[in-house]
Amino acid sequence: MPNSKTRVTVHSKLTVVSDTPVKPGKTYPLSVLDHAMGFHTLHIIFYYRYNRLDDKNSSDLGRLRQSLSEVLSQYPPVTGRLISDDQGNWEVRCNDAGLRVLKAKVDCSLDEWLKSADGDEEKDLTVWEEIPDDPKVWSPYRVQMNDFDEGGLAIGLSCPHMYADPTCATTFMNSWTEFYRRVCISHNPFFHPPGLHGRTNPNTNTESAKYYEAKSRAKPPSAVKMSTATFRFSDRMIKKCLLEIQTHCPDATPFDMLAALFWSSVIKAKTPKNTQVHNLSICMDFRKRMHAPLPHGFFGNALHFSKVSTDLRESEEGGFEYMTKIIHEHLLTIDEEEYWSVIDWLESQKEEGTKYAPPFRMYGPELTCVNMEDVSAFATMIENMKPVHVSYHIGNVDGEGLILVLPSPEEGLGRTVMVTLPEDQTDKLCKDPSILRLEPTMLVSGRC
């Protein structure tokens, strides 16, 4: 939610429509995986050194608005409105109602913001709204254009998570900036929600299906004040750390290593230490992990959640290297049958065989770590400028918290890690020697 004392002031709103009208009566049903994400929202912020105010048409967004209208012609669901179908499930009425765009001014420079803002203040750069009771005239997608003093631009994109996962929303942004640069779209949108539906011979007897069933029954966690910190690790330090653990896990990826590092640090930060078993929920995109891969431009959600566990004694005795190994080995066990079994299970929960069951908390209540290494966040170039930083926020994250492992603007194995945790744990992570020895740069982390 917006802060009471904010340096971000929204000064105008407008609606951008597509260049090409959609065929009357066109609808787009949301898939079973989309419905499952209905509890959460998605917010992405792309930071650029680009000075939009140099554009002669800056009062009306200039070329950015023109290219947005063009890309919206390729994405009819983005300009549509949510309605319920005859079974009470969500679908999009593709009626060219348009995308809402807000324009805002930030009362500091871009560099000052990246050094001084915290995770809560960063949320002011995007729109945070829940789906209203009657969403027929509500714009699910929102874009906020934030101009900094002395130049600099942050583009905030927001939508209900059941509309898009991080890969999908980032691909939309990539396409927008490609239209802006007058180059061909790298990944055309692929609209086919029936592609992910329950099978004729369902299988719900897998570890993943059992895990989703347990998540659906989990009690809501107690409300705890959360805070966010962002750590950027260089290619050099990631390579150094992977070399150190090569004996224990020679095939470890940067995600394996960073997930283990932050998971073990969170376990140490918890007080009191009265939990003997610690669970980590791992979320990954499965578009390219299937035997017949989904196109990169698949529109919607293609995320899979699984659980890895360790007891306190093993984590303390085995250390960071042991944690890396069990994460790596766990991910090797996740095959395509696990993905399909979850879809089968979600389909089996339909009320009276037609209406999808109410959504439940996917990011939580246990600590959740999301592998976003392959999200092409830094392909969203304006002119010839990559973003200097990209942040991702998930709405309605409570419980033990969230760890996002993201790409970095640096070439190679550089990574960015965003953590949203109970406030006291975030403070401890910012001072944890095992993290600080990798010499991270702190961004948008306030007091950290």
Side-chain angles (χ1 to χ4, degrees):
M1 293 296 135
N3 296 315
S4 57
K5 295 182 179 180
T6 178
R7 290 180 284 181
V8 182
T9 304
V10 174
H11 55 77
S12 60
K13 300 179 182 180
L14 57 101
T15 299
V16 177
V17 298
S18 63
D19 274 356
T20 306
V22 71
K23 183 179 179 181
K26 182 179 178 62
T27 59
Y28 180 80
L30 299 186
S31 74
V32 64
L33 289 181
D34 296 335
H35 279 81
M37 302 304 296
F39 193 78
H40 301 286
T41 55
L42 176 62
H43 311 264
I44 316 176
I45 303 163
F46 300 82
Y47 292 92
Y48 299 91
R49 297 207 179 277
Y50 173 73
N51 187 357
R52 184 180 67 81
L53 300 181
D54 284 344
D55 193 314
K56 294 180 180 179
N57 297 316
S58 63
S59 61
D60 196 30
L61 302 185
R63 286 175 54 205
L64 282 168
R65 174 172 179 168
Q66 178 185 348
S67 54
L68 180 56
S69 293
E70 292 169 345
V71 76
L72 289 176
S73 298
Q74 306 295 315
Y75 285 85
V78 172
T79 60
R81 297 295 183 261
L82 282 169
I83 60 172
S84 294
D85 65 14
D86 294 338
Q87 286 77 42
N89 296 317
W90 290 115
E91 66 179 13
V92 182
R93 178 181 293 161
C94 303
N95 57 2
D96 292 320
L99 178 150
R100 194 80 72 236
V101 177
L102 290 73
K103 294 189 289 183
K105 186 72 173 65
V106 186
D107 190 22
C108 67
S109 69
L110 173 58
D111 289 326
E112 182 184 351
W113 176 271
L114 292 175
K115 292 177 182 178
S116 64
D118 61 23
D120 282 340
E121 190 177 17
E122 186 178 47
K123 293 180 179 180
D124 292 334
L125 300 179
T126 64
V127 179
W128 290 72
E129 290 183 0
E130 300 295 335
I131 298 174
D133 292 336
D134 185 4
K136 292 179 182 177
V137 297
W138 179 73
S139 174
Y141 268 81
R142 306 289 178 104
V143 168
Q144 184 168 315
M145 312 289 288
N146 304 277
D147 294 300
F148 290 90
D149 283 348
E150 304 173 15
L153 172 69
I155 302 178
L157 176 68
S158 306
C159 67
H161 205 312
M162 64 180 181
Y163 248 86
D165 60 18
T167 296
C168 175
T170 304
T171 301
F172 168 73
M173 285 294 299
N174 289 346
S175 297
W176 177 10
T177 58
E178 285 166 341
F179 266 99
Y180 179 87
R181 302 196 312 273
R182 298 303 181 211
V183 299
C184 294
I185 291 181
S186 301
H187 302 289
N188 290 312
F190 180 73
F191 302 105
H192 189 57
L196 297 177
H197 62 81
R199 296 171 293 184
T200 304
N201 298 310
N203 172 22
T204 59
N205 190 31
T206 65
E207 291 301 317
S208 294
K210 295 173 184 177
Y211 179 47
Y212 275 63
E213 182 177 9
K215 288 172 75 70
S216 71
R217 298 196 308 263
K219 295 180 180 179
S222 302
V224 177
K225 183 172 176 54
M226 310 289 277
S227 62
T228 298
T230 302
F231 305 77
R232 179 177 291 172
F233 299 94
S234 69
D235 170 77
R236 178 179 66 85
M237 295 307 295
I238 295 293
K239 287 179 177 175
K240 178 181 177 182
C241 194
L242 288 173
L243 187 62
E244 291 173 355
I245 63 174
Q246 190 171 34
T247 302
H248 296 84
C249 191
D251 298 320
T253 66
F255 173 79
D256 300 334
M257 183 268 289
L258 289 168
L261 174 64
F262 280 84
W263 185 22
S264 57
S265 295
V266 168
I267 291 175
K268 289 187 294 183
K270 288 181 179 179
T271 53
K273 294 180 174 59
N274 56 4
T275 302
Q276 292 305 309
V277 177
H278 293 275
N279 300 319
L280 179 70
S281 175
I282 297 182
C283 172
M284 60 184 181
D285 188 302
F286 63 79
R287 282 170 173 79
K288 296 305 178 184
R289 299 174 184 267
M290 304 178 76
H291 177 71
L294 291 170
H296 186 92
F298 175 79
F299 188 86
N301 284 273
L303 297 179
H304 180 80
F305 293 80
S306 61
K307 183 180 73 173
V308 60
S309 302
T310 184
D311 67 40
L312 185 60
R313 180 185 61 81
E314 289 177 328
S315 65
E316 290 179 342
E317 292 180 359
F320 158 62
E321 295 86 354
Y322 161 78
M323 305 284 271
T324 302
K325 184 177 180 180
I326 64 170
I327 289 174
H328 180 76
E329 291 178 346
H330 166 76
L331 291 175
L332 291 178
T333 69
I334 306 298
D335 58 19
E336 185 167 345
E337 183 60 26
E338 298 288 328
Y339 312 146
W340 285 112
S341 70
V342 166
I343 296 171
D344 288 338
W345 181 83
L346 290 169
E347 291 273 11
S348 74
Q349 302 304 297
K350 283 183 175 180
E351 300 174 4
E352 300 178 355
T354 56
K355 184 177 180 181
Y356 293 121
F360 49 89
R361 194 179 307 274
M362 298 303 299
Y363 296 93
E366 58 281 300
L367 182 67
T368 304
C369 187
V370 186
N371 184 349
M372 297 171 59
E373 288 185 309
D374 296 328
V375 173
S376 53
F378 292 94
T380 57
M381 296 190 297
I382 295 181
E383 302 294 354
N384 292 317
M385 294 176 287
K386 294 194 303 185
V388 296
H389 179 57
V390 182
S391 290
Y392 290 77
H393 293 270
I394 306 295
N396 295 320
V397 170
D398 295 310
E400 295 188 29
L402 181 66
I403 302 168
L404 306 179
V405 179
L406 307 161
S408 171
E410 181 185 9
E411 298 292 336
L413 299 184
R415 295 291 185 269
T416 299
V417 178
M418 290 185 64
V419 299
T420 300
L421 298 166
E423 195 169 43
D424 62 325
Q425 294 180 26
T426 307
D427 292 341
K428 291 177 182 178
L429 257 65
C430 289
K431 302 170 186 175
D432 190 325
S434 62
I435 294 176
L436 294 181
R437 77 181 185 89
L438 298 186
E439 303 174 6
T441 299
M442 305 302 297
L443 296 169
V444 198
S445 298
R447 62 190 179 282
C448 290

